[in-house]
Amino acid sequence: MSRPSAPANPRIPPGVVAPTDYEALARERLDPAAWAYFSGGAADELTLRRNRAAWEAWSLQPRVLRQLAGGHTRVELLGRTLAHPLLLAPIAYQRLAHADGEIGSACAAAAQEAGIVLSVQASTRMEDVARAVQPEAGRGPLWLQLYLQPDRGHTLELLRRAEAAGYEAIVLTVDAPTSGARDRERRAGYRLPPGIAAVNLAGMPQPAAVASVPGGSALFDGLLHAAPTWDDVAWLRSQTALPLLLKGVLHPDDARQAAALGVAGLVVSNHGGRTLDTAVSTAWALPRIREAVGDALPLLVDGGIRRGTDVLKAIALGARAVLVGRPYIHALAVAGALGVAHVLRLLRDELEIAMALTGCATLAEVTPELLVREMPGA
Amino acid sequence: MSRPSAPANPRIPPGVVAPTDYEALARERLDPAAWAYFSGGAADELTLRRNRAAWEAWSLQPRVLRQLAGGHTRVELLGRTLAHPLLLAPIAYQRLAHADGEIGSACAAAAQEAGIVLSVQASTRMEDVARAVQPEAGRGPLWLQLYLQPDRGHTLELLRRAEAAGYEAIVLTVDAPTSGARDRERRAGYRLPPGIAAVNLAGMPQPAAVASVPGGSALFDGLLHAAPTWDDVAWLRSQTALPLLLKGVLHPDDARQAAALGVAGLVVSNHGGRTLDTAVSTAWALPRIREAVGDALPLLVDGGIRRGTDVLKAIALGARAVLVGRPYIHALAVAGALGVAHVLRLLRDELEIAMALTGCATLAEVTPELLVREMPGA
Amino acid sequence: MSRPSAPANPRIPPGVVAPTDYEALARERLDPAAWAYFSGGAADELTLRRNRAAWEAWSLQPRVLRQLAGGHTRVELLGRTLAHPLLLAPIAYQRLAHADGEIGSACAAAAQEAGIVLSVQASTRMEDVARAVQPEAGRGPLWLQLYLQPDRGHTLELLRRAEAAGYEAIVLTVDAPTSGARDRERRAGYRLPPGIAAVNLAGMPQPAAVASVPGGSALFDGLLHAAPTWDDVAWLRSQTALPLLLKGVLHPDDARQAAALGVAGLVVSNHGGRTLDTAVSTAWALPRIREAVGDALPLLVDGGIRRGTDVLKAIALGARAVLVGRPYIHALAVAGALGVAHVLRLLRDELEIAMALTGCATLAEVTPELLVREMPGA
Amino acid sequence: MSRPSAPANPRIPPGVVAPTDYEALARERLDPAAWAYFSGGAADELTLRRNRAAWEAWSLQPRVLRQLAGGHTRVELLGRTLAHPLLLAPIAYQRLAHADGEIGSACAAAAQEAGIVLSVQASTRMEDVARAVQPEAGRGPLWLQLYLQPDRGHTLELLRRAEAAGYEAIVLTVDAPTSGARDRERRAGYRLPPGIAAVNLAGMPQPAAVASVPGGSALFDGLLHAAPTWDDVAWLRSQTALPLLLKGVLHPDDARQAAALGVAGLVVSNHGGRTLDTAVSTAWALPRIREAVGDALPLLVDGGIRRGTDVLKAIALGARAVLVGRPYIHALAVAGALGVAHVLRLLRDELEIAMALTGCATLAEVTPELLVREMPGA
């Protein structure tokens, strides 16, 4: 499906000046099914669009003539000082986008001091990714995203491998007890091509829906028997000294419950609009969750982050850092690791511009007072 | 007008993955006038569009990590336990869409355990439909939709036939004392083709507008003399032991009055946007009617239900069950009974996915707290 | 510019089923400049569009099963009982649209028992129009729209002619001390063709803007010296026994002042969006003016009335009757007098349908309780 | 890039009847890069569009029959009585648009009694511009826009030249410590052609971003060290007797601080949407700043002013005068100085029409009571 054999042409295409400029190019470069897989969302893709619209709907009320000398984008996260608050969101099967695959993305992130959240469904072994980005090189955080496996032994196995390979935190995805209605993917006939697989899960059977029978429930009689619960989170938490973050939390009560369980952080996420269509946008949920959990618990957010001003708004609404998804997978598809590095650089530059133009020398000065809801519905 | 003689090709067309995917195919398959009849709405079709927009305007705020094992979609309705809350809305002249006609739809519903509300303007005799779906086969409810006839004797005749044929409830449509301004239909020159007729009403004269004369009122001097009133409802209620539901109620005061008359339930409906254009959307009216009548009276709703998330939202807003209309008539037009069964299966699967992704193991857990109005006007 | 010599083909074109269906046909029939003149609005035409949007933005919450027998559309207005609340709005130069001109429109209105407000800029002498529609024939009200002339003597002359010819009321337009920025007209190069003129104003010099000079104000140094004031209204009121209505009032304070001066009624109007662009829509202003002046003073409204439901909403918001503009001039352009009669019949039928479907047997039952603002901005 | 050698054809093109009518023509006339430079905004151009939308979103509720005789558009500003409240906004490199350049614009403004704010990045020496528009000719105010230079000596040099040349006020731009993300410009490959330069800054080195290095911050380690602060404003204020205005203030607190520093006025501006994308619209910020600083301090506003009604709304929301930008640069590109004069005349005429149609004889009568927010989000 992908064209991994295409000659590597690791140059930034002319005319790419903004993080989203890779999107149209990726659409040309990828085959339609891979495009549908990486870019599509659930059902009518309303949440996919609303994620974007929700960041745009906030206006900025800038301050002028403030002291900007000595400013920076540094942020503290899980005991580390990061150069900036950008991480790569977990995306599966990146070798489908480009032969550079997950190693390309990770190296690009490291070069830009960005964090990496590797998907457990990566098409590259987690050990190989970790080896490619040694901590000495000044990279950002290296985390592993995890789904709870039907067999706890398999989950533990993944956990131990992550610990051994040097992953610094576990990000447990909790918003997908089943896949969403990925209509665009299904219409495009998406299937993994030979040679690309979730290699980290090799040998671990995945839950499958029971074939529907008259009178039967495809889901409730099938895979939902194994759907993860809070008990599973508590269990996982007890099995490792690594910080545990939950990804996919949108409700303040769930955020409070997670905090009570001692998680190290939350990723406010609707899975990039890929699971429950018409789920609330993350920009809507973020400040409500920040209010619910107080100031201490680190929150990250993803979904629709496309501009430096979006990052600034996320910080203002309570995020410590943000995860970027589609922009980097599009850049990977177009220009491999170099594209990913370029997108990160563009976002980082735009964040600095946004800080300067709103009068914020540091992210600590990026507060909700910067934000204005100018016109309802506009 | 229809092409009932086209060779039956009862296969699901490739690429149909969502309930609305039959729509474009039906438009190709049907002749323009039949398409206009089944798909059109009144006047500028604002209510037609707003029904849809009103479901979309609600956002879902999902819960995670809840217990989903043992979940199901069952619901109690008029003394029966239904496998799920989906019913086929009454649509007239279904043989105009496909040779399978009402019997095809009813059999498909039965196969999917869905309820059926047969239109009194069906192009198939009600007895034939009832005979095709014997209760032993595990079908959902079998109800008859009725218009009050100008002659009460005719109404009673229909009622007795329904009782004798095994219909379990009567759904009296109350929102159409006259037809709406069906401009799309009229522009398309819609007329019933030979061989398709409201066979259940054979021999029963229908009210007609008096020909307009200078100074005369086409409606008030004509058919509105026979427009049904609350007295007629009370009379009908007294004539049968079958549960009586009113369809087309949008105002809380009318809902209260109906409840006081002892109706068994209400269908919150604007006739699919086919009568009064700019009538409120059903998603707007539903919670207000639920609030007016309290928790006991069963409410159903139709209008714009196209996704499993719509069904979930309807339940959250107070519906016990929903009626689906255009999606199944489009599927019938494209693939006959098989198409109808497919649409019902898709909706049911999507409902289960939506429940799983919002953390609801049963419909009792589907409450208004799931719903959020994210942005005014968005 | 117009094609008055085209052979009269007074048939309703096929496919015209709604009042706005004449619009596209009129665009084809009229030359571009005449089309721009009749259909255009001021500047960016925002008010033109908002008039329409404002009626659409109200949703109807219908009642069911009410007594409709004996219903009618009659209304009392200035001492007469009208068959229905529709009047033709004053539109200048109707012979530019069709050879039937103002006499065609007036005869059509008479045939449909609609009122007529003749523009003082008519291309037909007011006496000729009045002669064509004798009161014995059962026509609706016959009123004359007036602009105050720079010379009071000329104004009195027009008034006396109107009295003599049998006009029943004077409608003084007060919202146009100068023309608006009619960009569409000007781009189309609109000019009156030979043979079409404001014949009722023959010999009466009209105010003209002073040619602009460096440092000079085109308007304030020119025609605004003669702009009408409240004193002029009081003077006009004192000169005639005919009822005097003011057209173009949008502010409650102005409405109160007019009421205090003893006017017989107000037309809530923004000149069909042809003068001040971004002026409030009439559907917005109407209920505020109704509230300001209490229940007694008759209010009429125009601007964007295209459907029977719009008429119903206008009545619900406090109007006693409505003026229809562009729909009838488009119909005149397409099918002459017959077209105008057809549009009036369509609107009247739609009004009856809307009454029946909302449960209103008479206009007295059409109250604000029918109206709902469903979604802000939607 | 521009075609300054094209034969001067100083005629108003047919069909230009509104201030924005030059836009499409300018797009044809300019080369794509120059077009992108003059017309583009930052990033996704949301603020560019919202500036426009924000003026449109206000509706006008006009008054009728008021005394208009003796009206005028005069306004007091910094000790002068201006014929009307229009000034040309500072735009750099105007010889890129047309050979007439800044002198053409300034002469046109003088002919129309409009004010001029010359950009310090003008492609013409400020002395030459001042010489072209002697005060005796009845021109409006002549002001100089300034950026603080990295070297205070250079700033002083510019100040002294402005004083000597007869500039009446200094407008210090404070909203651009760095350029915005001008994606459209960059995609178009915009660069200054030979022969066009910021001649007033010749010999003054401009700040440059440090080349980004791994781990480095392009902005914070670079040009932001020299970003202007309130101290610089106080210093500049102390160096000249000329009135000092700040341009680019959007926050009430900044406005208060500026007032406390003794500035002579503020320009509420978001740099025409060219710096911080999603910054609040100026129509939103203006009344909040007026409220913060009270009635005394003169406020000007720019951004999206395209119609006389926009000017009227700006005055109603608290502006003493307005700056017009893109409309005049487009007119300059199309028809040189004559085009600029024409646009100013059109705006001035439209302002007078808007005053007459809202019942305002003078700008003092233009108050917030004229404004209505008709529909949220509409």
Side-chain angles (χ1 to χ4, degrees):
Chain A
M1 283 171 113
S2 71
R3 293 152 196 172
S5 60
N9 183 6
R11 275 180 305 190
I12 306 300
V16 173
V17 303
T20 51
D21 287 346
Y22 283 105
E23 185 171 337
L25 299 171
R27 184 168 201 164
E28 293 171 16
R29 187 74 62 96
L30 291 170
D31 77 49
W35 167 256
Y37 172 71
F38 287 121
S39 298
D44 299 313
E45 304 191 336
L46 297 175
T47 292
L48 181 62
R49 287 194 290 278
R50 287 178 192 173
N51 273 348
R52 185 78 211 100
W55 297 116
E56 291 188 348
W58 283 110
S59 290
L60 292 165
Q61 192 176 21
R63 306 301 301 265
V64 295
L65 295 168
R66 287 176 162 187
Q67 190 61 251
L68 294 173
H72 61 81
T73 58
R74 288 192 293 275
V75 67
E76 303 290 314
L77 185 60
L78 302 190
R80 290 186 56 177
T81 299
L82 312 184
H84 57 77
L86 301 171
L87 295 92
L88 298 187
I91 298 181
Y93 308 121
Q94 298 192 12
R95 289 181 54 236
L96 181 61
H98 191 277
D100 286 358
E102 287 85 0
I103 289 182
S105 295
C107 290
Q112 292 293 341
E113 300 172 288
I116 315 147
V117 186
L118 186 74
S119 166
V120 77
Q121 294 176 321
S123 52
T124 308
R125 283 176 48 85
M126 66 171 93
E127 291 82 1
D128 295 340
V129 173
R131 203 171 301 122
V133 289
Q134 295 299 318
E136 303 77 40
R139 62 154 168 80
L142 177 68
W143 298 354
L144 182 72
Q145 176 269 339
L146 213 59
Y147 288 106
L148 280 170
Q149 302 299 307
D151 178 331
R152 280 190 172 181
H154 290 150
T155 303
L156 276 185
E157 187 182 320
L158 291 165
L159 186 61
R160 297 302 166 235
R161 285 171 57 192
E163 291 168 342
Y167 286 80
E168 305 163 44
I170 299 296
V171 178
L172 182 70
T173 299
V174 297
D175 61 3
T178 179
S179 293
R182 298 267 187 83
D183 294 344
R184 211 207 293 185
E185 259 176 58
R186 290 191 285 167
R187 284 193 196 104
Y190 165 75
R191 262 171 226 279
L192 278 180
I196 296 182
V199 291
N200 292 290
L201 302 175
M204 303 180 185
Q206 297 300 303
V210 172
S212 80
V213 292
S217 155
L219 280 183
F220 286 111
D221 297 343
L223 65 87
L224 294 182
H225 281 291
T229 65
W230 288 107
D231 287 345
D232 296 307
V233 173
W235 167 80
L236 185 65
R237 170 92 180 73
S238 72
Q239 296 297 316
T240 181
L242 288 183
L244 175 66
L245 300 96
L246 301 191
K247 176 167 176 286
V249 174
L250 290 170
H251 198 289
D253 288 347
D254 286 341
R256 270 186 284 258
Q257 186 154 355
L261 270 178
V263 300
L266 297 174
V267 183
V268 177
S269 174
N270 51 33
H271 218 113
R274 295 166 75 85
T275 52
L276 177 68
D277 200 29
T278 74
V280 289
S281 69
T282 50
W284 185 90
L286 173 60
R288 288 163 175 84
I289 290 183
R290 173 49 75 207
E291 193 188 7
V293 298
D295 288 340
L297 190 71
L299 299 181
L300 294 89
V301 69
D302 69 5
I305 300 279
R306 300 289 179 271
R307 287 285 183 183
T309 44
D310 300 331
V311 182
L312 188 90
K313 291 171 185 178
I315 304 291
L317 292 169
R320 192 73 62 86
V322 305
L323 277 64
V324 179
R326 287 178 181 85
Y328 90 82
I329 203 73
H330 294 154
L332 181 69
V334 171
L338 182 64
V340 177
H342 186 220
V343 153
L344 285 166
R345 184 76 236 177
L346 288 172
L347 277 170
R348 189 176 172 184
D349 286 351
E350 284 197 0
L351 171 62
E352 294 191 17
I353 293 171
M355 291 172 68
L357 294 178
T358 52
C360 299
T362 68
L363 294 180
E365 298 174 32
V366 177
T367 61
E369 285 71 37
L370 287 175
L371 301 184
V372 159
R373 185 68 77 184
E374 198 169 341
M375 275 186 286
Chain B
M1 283 173 116
S2 72
R3 294 152 196 172
S5 59
N9 183 8
R11 274 179 306 187
I12 307 299
V16 172
V17 303
T20 50
D21 286 346
Y22 283 105
E23 184 170 337
L25 299 171
R27 184 167 200 165
E28 292 171 16
R29 186 73 62 94
L30 291 170
D31 78 49
W35 166 257
Y37 172 70
F38 287 121
S39 299
D44 299 313
E45 304 190 338
L46 297 175
T47 292
L48 181 62
R49 286 195 290 278
R50 287 177 191 173
N51 272 348
R52 187 77 211 100
W55 296 117
E56 291 187 349
W58 284 111
S59 290
L60 292 164
Q61 192 175 21
R63 306 300 302 264
V64 295
L65 296 168
R66 288 178 162 187
Q67 190 61 250
L68 294 173
H72 61 80
T73 58
R74 288 192 292 274
V75 65
E76 303 290 314
L77 186 61
L78 302 191
R80 290 186 56 177
T81 299
L82 313 184
H84 57 77
L86 301 171
L87 295 91
L88 297 188
I91 298 182
Y93 308 122
Q94 298 192 14
R95 290 180 54 234
L96 181 62
H98 192 279
D100 286 359
E102 288 84 1
I103 288 182
S105 295
C107 290
Q112 291 294 340
E113 299 172 286
I116 315 149
V117 185
L118 186 74
S119 167
V120 76
Q121 293 176 321
S123 51
T124 308
R125 284 175 49 86
M126 67 172 93
E127 290 81 2
D128 296 340
V129 173
R131 202 170 303 122
V133 287
Q134 295 300 319
E136 302 76 39
R139 62 155 167 79
L142 177 68
W143 298 355
L144 181 71
Q145 176 269 339
L146 213 59
Y147 287 107
L148 281 170
Q149 301 300 305
D151 177 331
R152 280 190 173 181
H154 291 150
T155 304
L156 276 185
E157 186 182 321
L158 292 165
L159 186 60
R160 297 301 167 236
R161 284 171 58 192
E163 291 167 342
Y167 285 81
E168 304 163 44
I170 299 297
V171 178
L172 183 69
T173 298
V174 298
D175 62 2
T178 179
S179 293
R182 299 266 187 84
D183 294 344
R184 212 208 292 183
E185 258 177 57
R186 288 191 286 167
R187 284 192 198 105
Y190 164 75
R191 263 171 225 277
L192 277 180
I196 296 182
V199 292
N200 292 290
L201 301 174
M204 301 181 186
Q206 297 300 303
V210 172
S212 80
V213 292
S217 156
L219 280 183
F220 287 112
D221 297 343
L223 65 87
L224 295 182
H225 281 292
T229 66
W230 287 107
D231 288 344
D232 296 308
V233 174
W235 167 80
L236 185 64
R237 170 91 180 73
S238 72
Q239 297 298 317
T240 181
L242 288 183
L244 175 66
L245 300 95
L246 301 191
K247 177 168 176 285
V249 174
L250 291 169
H251 198 290
D253 288 347
D254 286 341
R256 270 186 283 258
Q257 185 154 355
L261 270 179
V263 301
L266 296 174
V267 184
V268 178
S269 173
N270 52 33
H271 218 113
R274 296 166 74 85
T275 52
L276 177 68
D277 200 27
T278 75
V280 289
S281 70
T282 50
W284 185 90
L286 173 60
R288 289 162 174 85
I289 290 183
R290 172 51 74 207
E291 193 187 6
V293 299
D295 288 340
L297 190 70
L299 298 181
L300 294 89
V301 68
D302 70 5
I305 300 279
R306 300 288 180 272
R307 287 284 183 184
T309 43
D310 301 332
V311 181
L312 188 90
K313 292 171 185 178
I315 305 291
L317 291 169
R320 191 74 61 86
V322 306
L323 278 64
V324 179
R326 288 177 181 85
Y328 90 82
I329 202 72
H330 294 153
L332 181 69
V334 172
L338 182 65
V340 176
H342 186 220
V343 153
L344 285 167
R345 185 77 235 177
L346 287 171
L347 277 169
R348 189 176 172 185
D349 286 350
E350 284 196 2
L351 171 61
E352 294 191 17
I353 293 171
M355 290 172 67
L357 293 178
T358 53
C360 300
T362 68
L363 294 179
E365 298 175 31
V366 177
T367 61
E369 285 71 36
L370 287 176
L371 301 183
V372 159
R373 184 68 77 184
E374 198 168 339
M375 275 186 286
Chain C
M1 285 172 110
S2 72
R3 293 151 197 174
S5 59
N9 183 6
R11 275 178 306 186
I12 306 300
V16 172
V17 303
T20 52
D21 287 346
Y22 282 105
E23 184 170 338
L25 299 171
R27 185 167 200 164
E28 292 171 16
R29 186 74 61 97
L30 291 169
D31 78 49
W35 166 256
Y37 172 71
F38 287 121
S39 299
D44 300 313
E45 303 190 338
L46 296 175
T47 292
L48 181 61
R49 287 194 290 279
R50 286 177 192 174
N51 273 348
R52 187 79 209 98
W55 296 116
E56 291 187 349
W58 284 110
S59 289
L60 293 165
Q61 192 175 20
R63 306 301 301 265
V64 295
L65 295 168
R66 288 178 162 186
Q67 189 61 252
L68 294 173
H72 61 80
T73 58
R74 289 192 293 274
V75 65
E76 303 290 314
L77 186 61
L78 302 191
R80 289 187 55 176
T81 299
L82 312 184
H84 57 77
L86 301 171
L87 295 92
L88 298 187
I91 298 181
Y93 307 123
Q94 298 192 14
R95 289 180 54 235
L96 181 61
H98 192 279
D100 287 357
E102 288 84 1
I103 288 182
S105 295
C107 291
Q112 292 293 340
E113 300 173 288
I116 314 148
V117 186
L118 186 75
S119 167
V120 76
Q121 292 176 323
S123 50
T124 308
R125 284 176 49 86
M126 65 172 96
E127 290 81 2
D128 295 340
V129 173
R131 203 170 303 123
V133 287
Q134 296 298 319
E136 302 77 37
R139 63 153 167 81
L142 176 69
W143 299 354
L144 181 72
Q145 176 269 341
L146 212 59
Y147 287 107
L148 281 169
Q149 301 300 306
D151 178 331
R152 281 190 172 181
H154 290 150
T155 303
L156 276 185
E157 186 182 321
L158 292 165
L159 187 61
R160 298 298 167 239
R161 283 172 58 193
E163 291 168 343
Y167 285 81
E168 305 162 43
I170 299 296
V171 177
L172 182 70
T173 298
V174 297
D175 62 2
T178 179
S179 292
R182 300 264 188 85
D183 294 345
R184 211 208 293 185
E185 257 177 59
R186 289 191 285 167
R187 284 193 196 104
Y190 165 75
R191 263 172 225 279
L192 277 180
I196 296 183
V199 291
N200 292 290
L201 302 174
M204 301 181 187
Q206 297 301 303
V210 172
S212 80
V213 292
S217 155
L219 280 183
F220 286 112
D221 297 343
L223 65 88
L224 294 183
H225 281 292
T229 65
W230 288 107
D231 288 344
D232 296 309
V233 174
W235 167 80
L236 185 65
R237 171 90 180 73
S238 72
Q239 297 298 316
T240 180
L242 287 183
L244 175 67
L245 299 96
L246 300 191
K247 176 166 175 288
V249 174
L250 291 170
H251 198 289
D253 288 347
D254 286 343
R256 269 186 284 259
Q257 186 154 355
L261 271 178
V263 302
L266 296 174
V267 184
V268 177
S269 174
N270 51 34
H271 218 113
R274 296 167 75 86
T275 52
L276 176 68
D277 201 28
T278 74
V280 289
S281 69
T282 50
W284 185 90
L286 173 59
R288 289 162 175 84
I289 291 184
R290 172 51 74 204
E291 192 188 6
V293 298
D295 288 340
L297 191 70
L299 298 182
L300 294 88
V301 69
D302 69 4
I305 300 279
R306 299 288 179 272
R307 287 285 184 184
T309 43
D310 300 332
V311 182
L312 188 90
K313 292 170 185 179
I315 303 291
L317 291 169
R320 192 74 62 87
V322 304
L323 277 64
V324 180
R326 287 177 182 85
Y328 90 81
I329 203 73
H330 293 153
L332 180 70
V334 171
L338 181 65
V340 177
H342 186 219
V343 153
L344 285 167
R345 183 77 234 177
L346 288 171
L347 277 169
R348 188 176 172 185
D349 286 350
E350 284 196 1
L351 171 61
E352 294 191 19
I353 293 171
M355 291 172 67
L357 293 179
T358 53
C360 299
T362 68
L363 294 179
E365 297 174 33
V366 177
T367 61
E369 285 71 36
L370 286 175
L371 301 183
V372 159
R373 185 67 78 183
E374 198 169 342
M375 275 185 286
Chain D
M1 283 172 113
S2 72
R3 294 153 196 172
S5 60
N9 183 5
R11 274 178 306 188
I12 306 300
V16 172
V17 303
T20 51
D21 286 346
Y22 282 105
E23 185 171 336
L25 300 170
R27 186 169 200 163
E28 292 171 15
R29 185 74 63 97
L30 292 169
D31 78 51
W35 166 256
Y37 172 70
F38 286 121
S39 298
D44 299 313
E45 304 191 336
L46 297 176
T47 292
L48 181 61
R49 286 194 290 277
R50 286 178 193 174
N51 272 348
R52 187 76 211 101
W55 297 116
E56 291 186 349
W58 284 110
S59 290
L60 293 164
Q61 192 175 19
R63 306 302 301 266
V64 295
L65 296 169
R66 286 176 162 188
Q67 190 61 251
L68 295 173
H72 61 81
T73 59
R74 288 192 293 275
V75 66
E76 303 291 314
L77 186 61
L78 301 191
R80 289 186 55 176
T81 298
L82 312 185
H84 57 77
L86 301 171
L87 295 92
L88 298 187
I91 298 181
Y93 308 123
Q94 298 192 14
R95 289 181 53 236
L96 182 60
H98 191 278
D100 287 357
E102 287 85 0
I103 288 182
S105 295
C107 291
Q112 292 293 339
E113 299 172 289
I116 315 147
V117 186
L118 186 74
S119 167
V120 77
Q121 293 177 323
S123 52
T124 308
R125 283 175 49 85
M126 65 171 94
E127 291 81 1
D128 295 340
V129 173
R131 203 171 302 122
V133 288
Q134 296 300 318
E136 303 77 40
R139 62 154 168 79
L142 178 68
W143 298 355
L144 182 71
Q145 176 269 341
L146 214 59
Y147 287 108
L148 281 169
Q149 302 299 306
D151 177 331
R152 280 191 171 181
H154 290 151
T155 303
L156 276 184
E157 185 183 320
L158 292 164
L159 187 60
R160 297 301 167 238
R161 284 172 57 192
E163 291 168 342
Y167 286 81
E168 304 162 44
I170 300 295
V171 178
L172 183 70
T173 299
V174 297
D175 62 2
T178 180
S179 293
R182 300 266 186 84
D183 294 344
R184 210 207 293 186
E185 257 177 61
R186 289 190 286 166
R187 284 194 196 103
Y190 165 75
R191 264 171 224 280
L192 277 179
I196 295 182
V199 292
N200 292 290
L201 302 174
M204 302 181 185
Q206 298 300 303
V210 172
S212 81
V213 292
S217 156
L219 280 183
F220 286 113
D221 297 344
L223 65 88
L224 294 183
H225 281 292
T229 65
W230 286 107
D231 287 344
D232 296 308
V233 173
W235 167 81
L236 185 65
R237 169 91 180 74
S238 72
Q239 297 298 315
T240 182
L242 288 183
L244 175 65
L245 299 96
L246 300 192
K247 176 167 175 286
V249 174
L250 290 170
H251 198 288
D253 288 347
D254 286 342
R256 270 185 284 258
Q257 186 154 355
L261 270 178
V263 301
L266 296 174
V267 184
V268 177
S269 174
N270 51 32
H271 218 113
R274 296 166 74 85
T275 53
L276 176 68
D277 199 28
T278 73
V280 289
S281 69
T282 51
W284 185 89
L286 173 60
R288 288 161 175 84
I289 291 184
R290 172 51 72 206
E291 191 187 7
V293 298
D295 288 342
L297 190 70
L299 298 181
L300 293 89
V301 69
D302 70 4
I305 300 279
R306 300 288 180 272
R307 287 285 182 184
T309 43
D310 300 332
V311 181
L312 187 90
K313 292 171 185 178
I315 304 291
L317 291 169
R320 191 75 61 87
V322 305
L323 279 64
V324 179
R326 287 176 181 86
Y328 90 83
I329 202 74
H330 293 154
L332 181 70
V334 172
L338 182 65
V340 177
H342 185 220
V343 153
L344 285 166
R345 184 77 235 177
L346 287 172
L347 276 170
R348 188 177 173 183
D349 286 351
E350 284 197 1
L351 171 61
E352 295 191 18
I353 293 171
M355 291 172 67
L357 294 178
T358 53
C360 299
T362 68
L363 294 180
E365 297 174 33
V366 177
T367 61
E369 285 71 36
L370 287 175
L371 301 183
V372 160
R373 184 68 77 184
E374 198 168 342
M375 275 186 285

